[in-house]
Amino acid sequence: MLRVVLFLLVILNAHASNALPNIIATPVELAQDPVWAALLHYETGYLRSQKSAISDPSFFYSPDGQTDLLAELQATVSAFSENPLEQCRFPARSLFLSKHFSQLVATVCPNYEDYLASINASSMSLIYASGYLGNPASMYGHIFLKFNGEKENDLLDNTFNYGARYPENENPFRYIANGIFGGYQGYFANQKYHHQTLTYNESELRDLWEYELNIQQQDVELILAHLWELEDIPMTYYFFEQNCAYQIARLLEMVTGKKLIAPGKVWVMPYDVIMMFERQEAKNWVRNVKYHGSRQQALYTKYAQLSEQEKGVLVTIIGRQPDEVTESLSSISDDSATRVIDNLYDYYAYLDKKNEGLTAKQIVTRKSAMNKRFDLPSGTSHFRAHNNAPPHHAQDTALLQISGLYNEEWGEGVELRFRANYYDLLSVNAARIPFSELSTFDVRALYQTEESTLDLRELTVLRIINLNAATTDLPEDSGYAWKIAAGYREQSITKPEEGSLYMDGFLGKSHAFSPNFALYGALSSTLTGKNNFGGYLAIGPEIGGVLNVSPNYAMSFSLRHQRFVNAPEHERTTFNFEQRFFNDKRFDLRSLLRYDDVFELSMSLSFYY
Amino acid sequence: MKKHTLIAAAIAVAGLSSNAMADDHMEKVNPWKQCGIGAMIFDDNGTAAAISNIIWDLGTTALSTKISSEESCNGKRTKVAMFIQDNFDVVLEQTSAGQGEHLNAMLEILEVADADKAAVLATVRGSVTADAQPEAYYNTLVAAI
């Protein structure tokens, strides 16, 4: 009872309470504590003062709780002292306050204790899911938290995700607009890890990297306690800022005390949070990095290790009738047969997702192989693990570039370029989709030295290239190579001052001759807003390729010949050859040779952040 | 459909995991029929709001007490039934090989002692074929324990 009285004294004498001997900190001081602000999700906007991102009144005790940290602190203490069971609603607040108020009345919260017991976490991991070009919301990757049980199987660990909820059968345009401009509410959600591996590794064929964090048990519990508080509490979701990466970073900042949101950017990306852990003192917070590859990667890893004979048998099984599986396998040892069948499982699992189902013949062949596998000795086949570079080895995502160039038509110039994100074919692309590009908001401005003019050369809103290169000789192991780009750019390198809106694309096929070399051939098309060259829509063949010669040197090229649909007598041939030198997260040196009626050569110094 | 499957699975697990085991009733429970796994998995009934690709499902394994169900559906056997249903392709592949991480997780849910795991897996491996369906597989597994 005495404790409660003292507690109330703290509230009634908030500004003078530091005189009390058994109070470790005053409410005024506590209200300014970053952890308290984080627990209430306070944010400072560009044009407004501090305010909570949560507007649900049930999250606050004070009517002014959304805008007044001290008022909410006092109201919380008051509520906890009047009814200690209120701490069961907000166990993270209780943990925080109990560190500073010796009078806090301990209470038992059976439901909350059950929750902690069911998660039984001894450590915590940050999981990064690689990008997925099949859905705009997933292109930039994803992160979530995994709480690692002391003894249990990894697959039974609990995870917490943050994402937006949206109605079933949402219109795609509304989906994009609402996602970007805050039309959806975001929530944290809890799920077993095996659901995540099913979703990412198996269904979307995405790789996962697990960063086991060096975080104290009490901090793990603080995060779990706060996630308990956030059940069904919505926050406005913004795709480019208040997204999964932002919310997870905020949670981790609360316990690490380190900035995990990349500075100098008005957007937050999952990859940037990973990068921030690799910078400065935050690096010490990562204990271990583990790779969990997709089914597609498992197929490629195992296939590359099959002997030529085993590969031949695998191709034979895929091509022949299902009832000939046993006969096909009879020519090799039991050990080889298990390797072939295990690779066949990966192949059909991959096709099942890629083609949205297997054919009747494929289903029966898979069953025949599986029945044969049941007859073979027990035990998994042996393959070496794939040594895939983790995402923090990749280049940073925002680009500033300065180029000196010479153009046959108009002479010398200097070009400045800014690309908001993310990567291109020649970037140091660890943990990204092989032979792909994802660029947003790419701006180039050109200063012509002789003319002393400044022109906007390009403002590409979005450019995506995915070569989808086949890496095995197995049937159907390739998708379409495709590209789409849109924005504004010069119509020709001969006249940088004449620009127009444009859309570019191609559709074709590609092949990866090794993990470092791919070629493609495609039908390309270009739509322009002006017809200075004879037409608006041009189509024609395009070939190109990417070669990573060494970590320090990579090159790409493309050759395109197009004719205008409405004026076939007009044609254009363009050629690009680009090289990247050095292997560093923060900079590189590039050269670009372009041909478009005339030649242009540039040398560029790039900075990434 | 797949998304709904996982959403339904998540809801089911949510309702199943928050209470103590009901061992007395377990032997009589058929999770597919009495706990509605089949209906949740195969009916596109839109019981849950669709969630973005980023979240995937309502996922309230440890938190939710909002989904009511029979007490007998709260046990480890229903949880393992859900696990088998969701991950069946991988479970069957690993069963044909005789070992694997999913099999270990499956036996862990059922709290099979380490010393007994190899024998249980050998029994299951000797009893199922590539034609097995999740419910039949589950019955074989339960019988092997």
Side-chain angles (χ1 to χ4, degrees):
Chain A
M1 186 60 195
L2 178 62
R3 282 179 173 177
V4 174
V5 171
L6 280 173
F7 220 115
L8 291 170
L9 280 173
V10 170
I11 308 306
L12 295 172
N13 301 285
H15 296 278
S17 57
N18 54 358
L20 294 172
N22 52 354
I23 291 167
I24 302 165
T26 69
V28 174
E29 290 167 346
L30 282 186
Q32 300 307 315
D33 191 302
V35 175
W36 179 250
L39 288 174
L40 297 185
H41 290 258
Y42 268 59
E43 297 172 348
T44 304
Y46 294 108
L47 300 173
R48 59 174 170 75
S49 56
Q50 267 201 332
K51 185 180 178 184
S52 174
I54 296 173
S55 56
D56 187 335
S58 71
F59 190 71
F60 302 100
Y61 286 109
S62 166
D64 299 323
Q66 198 185 358
T67 56
D68 190 335
L69 287 164
L70 178 59
E72 183 59 19
L73 184 108
Q74 291 171 324
T76 301
V77 173
S78 179
F80 285 3
S81 62
E82 287 169 10
N83 179 7
L85 286 177
E86 282 297 306
Q87 294 173 71
C88 301
R89 279 182 65 203
F90 295 103
R93 295 188 195 186
S94 173
L95 282 171
F96 171 78
L97 292 172
S98 65
K99 284 184 182 175
H100 302 281
F101 286 115
S102 58
Q103 302 89 349
L104 199 63
V105 177
T107 189
V108 177
C109 305
N111 288 340
Y112 173 66
E113 294 301 327
D114 284 351
Y115 155 80
L116 285 184
S118 71
I119 292 177
N120 189 30
S122 59
S123 69
M124 187 170 71
S125 298
L126 177 65
I127 308 266
Y128 175 82
S130 60
Y132 173 61
L133 295 177
N135 183 323
S138 303
M139 288 177 181
Y140 298 95
H142 181 52
I143 55 175
F144 59 91
L145 293 176
K146 172 170 170 279
F147 292 87
N148 308 312
E150 199 139 329
K151 291 179 183 174
E152 67 189 11
N153 188 294
D154 257 11
L155 293 169
L156 303 179
D157 284 337
N158 280 271
T159 66
F160 276 86
N161 245 335
Y162 179 82
R165 290 183 188 172
Y166 64 89
E168 198 174 0
N169 302 321
E170 179 71 300
N171 176 298
F173 295 104
R174 193 178 299 147
Y175 171 72
I176 291 170
N178 282 341
I180 293 174
F181 299 112
Y184 297 129
Q185 295 297 304
Y187 294 84
F188 278 98
N190 168 225
Q191 192 53 272
K192 291 286 187 186
Y193 184 55
H194 65 81
H195 281 281
Q196 309 293 6
T197 60
L198 182 64
T199 300
Y200 293 106
N201 291 158
E202 296 287 328
S203 296
E204 296 185 351
L205 303 173
R206 298 164 69 176
D207 293 329
L208 297 173
W209 276 267
E210 178 174 355
Y211 288 75
E212 191 180 353
L213 302 178
N214 194 15
I215 287 178
Q216 299 291 318
Q217 177 83 36
Q218 63 194 41
D219 291 331
V220 173
E221 187 179 334
L222 181 67
I223 288 183
L224 282 171
H226 187 50
L227 288 166
W228 169 269
E229 295 172 349
L230 291 175
E231 187 190 10
D232 287 333
I233 296 294
M235 288 176 273
T236 305
Y237 179 92
Y238 294 95
F239 180 73
F240 285 111
E241 191 177 4
Q242 278 87 351
N243 51 25
C244 64
Y246 178 91
Q247 298 296 352
I248 297 287
R250 286 288 186 231
L251 280 182
L252 295 174
E253 283 178 348
M254 183 171 73
V255 295
T256 62
K258 306 295 179 190
K259 291 288 182 192
L260 294 175
I261 291 176
K265 298 182 180 182
V266 294
W267 59 90
V268 183
M269 295 174 60
Y271 173 80
D272 287 335
V273 178
I274 299 293
M275 289 303 296
M276 289 299 286
F277 264 107
E278 278 299 298
R279 289 183 189 168
Q280 305 159 8
E281 320 91 88
K283 197 169 186 173
N284 299 328
W285 291 97
V286 177
R287 186 182 293 161
N288 188 27
V289 182
K290 285 193 276 186
Y291 173 65
H292 307 272
S294 71
R295 247 328 163 101
Q296 187 177 4
Q297 189 57 59
L299 166 68
Y300 295 158
T301 301
K302 291 176 187 172
Y303 184 78
Q305 295 177 49
L306 292 183
S307 68
E308 288 306 313
Q309 185 190 26
E310 289 166 347
K311 285 180 182 174
V313 171
L314 179 61
V315 171
T316 301
I317 290 172
I318 292 168
R320 293 172 75 176
Q321 292 303 309
D323 58 4
E324 296 173 289
V325 168
T326 303
E327 182 190 336
S328 302
L329 289 165
S330 63
S331 61
I332 55 178
S333 67
D334 283 357
D335 187 49
S336 282
T338 61
R339 286 161 59 85
V340 168
I341 292 171
D342 287 355
N343 211 181
L344 190 74
Y345 288 161
D346 294 330
Y347 174 69
Y348 282 137
Y350 162 59
L351 286 193
D352 190 16
K353 299 300 175 282
K354 175 176 163 288
N355 299 338
E356 297 182 358
L358 296 175
T359 65
K361 175 177 176 286
Q362 288 168 337
I363 291 169
V364 179
T365 300
R366 181 178 178 276
K367 282 187 178 179
S368 299
M370 185 174 281
N371 281 328
K372 174 64 181 174
R373 185 72 177 89
F374 273 111
D375 293 337
L376 289 166
S378 174
T380 51
S381 50
H382 298 290
F383 292 97
R384 292 185 305 279
H386 181 60
N387 187 23
N388 210 352
H392 65 271
H393 286 188
Q395 234 158 10
D396 276 353
T397 55
L399 166 67
L400 279 174
Q401 188 179 70
I402 183 165
S403 308
L405 50 86
Y406 176 76
N407 183 291
E408 279 189 320
E409 178 74 14
W410 42 261
E412 296 172 350
V414 176
E415 187 181 273
L416 290 175
R417 179 184 179 193
F418 169 71
R419 187 184 68 204
N421 54 61
Y422 183 18
Y423 65 95
D424 58 46
L425 291 170
L426 292 185
S427 306
V428 180
N429 282 331
R432 293 170 183 158
I433 299 166
F435 308 118
S436 71
E437 171 174 352
L438 174 55
S439 294
T440 26
F441 200 75
D442 192 355
V443 190
R444 297 171 190 254
L446 173 68
Y447 178 75
Q448 292 183 54
T449 311
E450 290 177 19
E451 301 289 330
S452 297
T453 56
L454 184 65
D455 296 298
L456 176 63
R457 256 196 138 170
E458 178 180 355
L459 199 170
T460 290
V461 177
L462 179 69
R463 180 171 51 248
I464 307 174
I465 298 173
N466 188 0
L467 296 189
N468 261 321
T471 55
T472 70
D473 297 323
L474 297 173
E476 302 184 62
D477 176 28
S478 75
Y480 286 108
W482 57 273
K483 171 189 175 181
I484 186 166
Y488 170 93
R489 72 177 174 204
E490 63 191 3
Q491 284 212 282
S492 161
I493 65 173
T494 58
K495 293 182 178 177
E497 66 279 9
E498 292 183 6
S500 74
L501 297 175
Y502 82 97
M503 281 188 70
D504 238 3
F506 67 62
L507 188 66
K509 282 287 186 182
S510 69
H511 188 84
F513 297 90
S514 82
N516 294 310
F517 178 39
L519 291 175
Y520 71 90
L523 181 65
S524 70
S525 68
T526 301
L527 185 66
T528 52
K530 294 178 182 173
N531 67 341
N532 295 3
F533 291 89
Y536 293 98
L537 177 63
I539 61 172
E542 176 173 332
I543 60 170
V546 183
L547 174 61
N548 295 303
V549 179
S550 77
N552 285 296
Y553 177 56
M555 65 173 83
S556 69
F557 79 94
S558 65
L559 173 63
R560 186 170 71 182
H561 180 77
Q562 293 181 326
R563 285 182 182 275
F564 289 96
V565 171
N566 58 326
E569 69 277 15
H570 294 287
E571 61 183 18
R572 292 186 72 184
T573 300
T574 59
F575 174 74
N576 287 339
F577 175 68
E578 187 171 11
Q579 302 172 89
R580 188 256 299 160
F581 303 92
F582 299 112
N583 174 20
D584 193 276
K585 293 178 192 174
R586 309 304 290 273
F587 85 98
D588 65 32
L589 192 65
R590 293 195 180 203
S591 78
L592 174 62
L593 176 68
R594 302 172 72 187
Y595 173 79
D596 182 3
D597 283 340
V598 298
F599 280 101
E600 180 182 296
L601 178 64
S602 63
M603 293 295 294
S604 309
L605 184 59
S606 312
F607 300 94
Y608 301 88
Y609 66 97
Chain B
M1 176 62 198
K2 186 69 178 175
K3 185 179 289 186
H4 292 151
T5 299
L6 288 185
I7 290 169
I11 294 170
V13 171
L16 304 174
S17 60
S18 57
N19 297 324
M21 304 295 173
D23 288 322
D24 292 346
H25 303 284
M26 270 185 192
E27 301 302 326
K28 301 171 186 173
V29 170
N30 179 327
W32 270 262
K33 293 183 174 63
Q34 290 165 257
C35 304
I37 292 178
M40 286 189 284
I41 297 297
F42 297 111
D43 291 351
D44 196 355
N45 54 16
T47 51
I51 304 178
S52 85
N53 172 280
I54 300 167
I55 273 194
W56 252 99
D57 48 53
L58 285 175
T60 44
T61 308
L63 284 172
S64 180
T65 54
K66 296 179 175 60
I67 311 295
S68 62
S69 63
E70 288 181 53
E71 190 172 317
S72 56
C73 290
N74 292 333
K76 58 192 178 187
R77 295 197 177 181
T78 307
K79 277 202 273 188
V80 88
M82 295 297 303
F83 182 88
I84 291 167
Q85 180 72 55
D86 286 350
N87 299 285
F88 189 62
D89 286 349
V90 178
V91 166
L92 201 55
E93 284 174 13
Q94 292 183 0
T95 304
S96 75
Q99 55 185 272
E101 276 305 291
H102 283 74
L103 300 187
N104 292 338
M106 185 177 77
L107 296 180
E108 201 165 299
I109 295 171
L110 288 171
E111 298 172 9
V112 176
D114 286 347
D116 300 331
K117 286 179 180 174
V120 171
L121 286 181
T123 303
V124 174
R125 187 171 188 258
S127 306
V128 301
T129 69
D131 290 314
Q133 294 301 307
E135 185 175 353
Y137 184 98
Y138 164 84
N139 290 332
T140 304
L141 174 64
V142 169
I145 295 173

